[in-house]
Amino acid sequence: MNEKLRAIEDYLSGKRGPSQICFELQISKKSFSDWLRIYRLHREQGLQTLSNNKLYSEAIKSQAVKV
C-alpha cells in the first residue's frame, strides 16, 4: 500500500490526524487536502503515481520540433 493511501485510510479511520500525517510525511496541509479530495472523487485509483517521464524516439522529437 502506498503512503498516500495509508495516510488517507489512517485519517478516515481516526488513527492519525492531518497535522500528524503532514508532519510525518513532510508534506503541506494543502497537499494532504488535495490527496483527500482526489481520493473522494476517484478512490484508490486517483492516488496512483503516474510517471511523467516518457521516453520518446529521436524521430518523434524531431517531428515535434518541426511542427
Side-chain angles (χ1 to χ4, degrees), residues 7 12 19 33 54 56:
L12 293 175
S19 294
S33 66
K54 306 241 187 285
Y56 297 101

Side-chain angles (χ1 to χ4, degrees), residues 12-45:
L12 293 175
S13 69
K15 288 182 183 176
R16 295 190 288 168
S19 294
Q20 181 182 3
I21 291 168
C22 293
F23 176 78
E24 290 174 1
L25 298 179
Q26 297 181 343
I27 60 171
S28 68
K29 289 184 179 180
K30 170 78 168 91
S31 292
F32 181 71
S33 66
D34 287 346
W35 293 358
L36 187 57
R37 179 182 48 78
I38 291 167
Y39 178 81
R40 287 182 171 149
L41 289 172
H42 305 288
R43 296 292 170 204
E44 198 170 325
Q45 291 177 352

Side-chain angles (χ1 to χ4, degrees), residues 45-62:
Q45 291 177 352
L47 297 176
Q48 292 177 356
T49 302
L50 302 176
S51 175
N52 289 332
N53 297 327
K54 306 241 187 285
L55 298 177
Y56 297 101
S57 69
E58 286 300 319
I60 291 175
K61 291 178 185 178
S62 294

